[in-house]
Amino acid sequence: HIEEGAATRVELADAATQAVDRWRERAERLASSLSLRGDMSVAHADPTDVDQIFDNLLDNAVAYAPGPIELSYGSEDGRAWLRVRDHGPGIPVADRAKVMDRFYRGAARPPEAGLGLAIARELCEKWGGAIAVDEAEGGGTAITASFPAARP
C-alpha cells in the first residue's frame, strides 16, 4: 500500500499508456491523434501527481493544437522524463517562461483559467523535478517534465 502523496517508483511507460487511454476519445473528438513511444524509465515521484501532469499537458495540447500529439518518455543523466509534443502554432518565445505562471494567458490564447501548466510545474518541482517549454523541431511545442530517476 502506497501512502498518498508519498514518492515512490513510477513506471513512466505505464503512466503514459494510461494517459493515452484516458485521453484518446476526447482527442479524437477534437481532431487530434495520440501516439506513444519511449524507453524504460522509472521516476521517483507520486503516481497521482505524474498522472495529473500528463493530464494537464494533454489537455493543453488537445485544446490549443489539434492534430498529431506525441507522448514520449525516457531517462538520461539520472533523470526520468516525459514529454508531450504537438504540431500546433507553438508558443511565442516571449511567452514560454510565463506560460508556467498561474493565470497567465498569452495574446494568442483563449480566455481560460491558465492553471494547467502552473500546476504541472508545481507538481514536478514538488518531487525535485522541473518542466521546460520548447519549440518542437518542425514546429509546435514540446513540454518536458523531468524527475529524479528511481534507484533500481
Side-chain angles (χ1 to χ4, degrees), residues 4 21 32 40 44 71 80 85 90-91 95 115-116 130-131 141 149:
E4 186 173 336
D21 289 346
S32 291
M40 177 66 179
H44 183 72
L71 286 77
R85 188 245 202 246
I91 298 171
D95 288 340
L115 289 172
I131 196 163
T141 301

Side-chain angles (χ1 to χ4, degrees), residues 61-85:
V62 168
Y64 300 120
I69 299 169
E70 300 152 10
L71 286 77
S72 56
Y73 53 89
S75 59
E76 185 177 355
D77 298 327
R79 309 287 292 169
W81 56 267
L82 61 88
R83 180 174 298 125
V84 174
R85 188 245 202 246

